[in-house]
Amino acid sequence: MFENRPNCSDEVILVGRSNVGKSTLMRELTGHSFETGGKPGVTRSPNHYDWSGDDFMITDLPGFGFMSGVPDDAREQIKTDIVRYVEDNAENILVGILVLDGKSAVDIIDRHSGEDEIPHDVEMFHFLRDVGIPTVVAVNKMDKVDDEDDRLNDICDRLGLYPPWKQWQDTIAPMTAKRGSIGSLEDAVCGHLEDAKRDDLKKFF
């Protein structure tokens, strides 16, 4: 499922837990609908969207973490496949977008923080950065959060970024994909494209 990568040299990827709104965000970015479901784990293989004539695509990678009705070994395999895909294509990935559910991310991270356990979201954030991919954390569903600044500061803290979050606007992007409110994410991604001297790709964001 992961072998059918289109022959595009440059790409932006979306990663994150199941059911955080990656497919909805993909639709906002591309104007193209992908299969989404109320049940976690609908996307099992990468969704690639490329523009004819441009050597560029956006890829929505499958969700990781808990998926109802999906056995543990299958979940682990999906995570392994995501890591391998990112490693294999790291030099072509201009930006990695880690999508979090702003309402539940802190609780989930805290629930899975232990002596011998690193929460998936935290692990994925550091993994992307370790392989040299500029990373933006898209904190989705912010319309359901009352104390926005406190929540974003808590997320920074869990990711090892020193709060306040406003000093990380190239990294932390609060948004609500379902309402099309993704301006802060687009700004952050465009900043990284500028850094990569790829202003020609900003038209997609």
Side-chain angles (χ1 to χ4, degrees):
M1 291 191 294
F2 278 74
E3 280 75 51
N4 303 327
R5 184 183 184 275
N7 189 22
C8 284
S9 62
D10 292 316
E11 114 186 80
V12 167
I13 59 167
L14 306 183
V15 295
R17 285 182 172 276
S18 301
N19 241 21
V20 293
K22 293 191 311 300
S23 299
T24 304
L25 175 57
M26 186 78 165
R27 188 179 65 229
E28 281 300 317
L29 290 171
T30 64
H32 183 82
S33 279
F34 294 86
E35 188 180 357
T36 61
K39 272 188 19 201
V42 170
T43 309
R44 298 282 183 88
S45 57
N47 279 320
H48 303 285
Y49 189 82
D50 57 352
W51 286 263
S52 55
D54 286 282
D55 192 13
F56 172 71
M57 66 182 172
I58 297 179
T59 299
D60 175 19
L61 290 167
F64 53 75
F66 174 75
M67 291 168 250
S68 63
V70 179
D72 285 352
D73 56 343
R75 275 208 312 260
E76 279 305 309
Q77 186 58 50
I78 288 171
K79 193 166 157 234
T80 301
D81 288 342
I82 293 168
V83 167
R84 191 172 297 137
Y85 181 93
V86 172
E87 286 178 336
D88 288 349
N89 299 293
E91 62 189 40
N92 301 107
I93 298 172
L94 298 170
V95 184
I97 300 172
L98 172 62
V99 186
L100 302 184
D101 180 332
K103 194 164 187 292
S104 62
V106 173
D107 290 340
I108 290 172
I109 288 171
D110 287 353
R111 200 180 315 143
H112 293 280
S113 295
E115 279 181 27
D116 52 359
E117 188 177 20
I118 300 173
H120 288 325
D121 297 307
V122 176
E123 187 179 31
M124 188 61 68
F125 175 70
H126 290 289
F127 165 64
L128 290 170
R129 290 170 48 134
D130 286 347
V131 295
I133 296 171
T135 304
V136 177
V137 180
V139 187
N140 194 22
K141 307 185 185 181
M142 289 303 288
D143 58 322
K144 298 179 177 167
V145 173
D146 298 328
D147 47 351
E148 182 167 316
D149 284 338
D150 287 346
R151 181 63 49 87
L152 294 168
N153 286 340
D154 285 345
I155 286 171
C156 278
D157 179 64
R158 302 311 189 271
L159 294 175
L161 302 173
Y162 195 73
W165 76 271
K166 285 190 171 157
Q167 65 182 328
W168 301 104
Q169 290 188 45
D170 60 340
T171 305
I172 302 291
M175 60 168 216
T176 302
K178 200 172 256 185
R179 294 188 176 177
S181 174
I182 60 171
S184 62
L185 171 69
E186 292 174 320
D187 289 347
V189 170
C190 285
H192 290 300
L193 293 175
E194 279 177 22
D195 292 343
K197 310 240 178 325
R198 292 308 306 270
D199 288 37
D200 56 308
L201 298 177
K202 285 162 58 176
K203 63 187 177 187
F204 298 116
F205 294 94

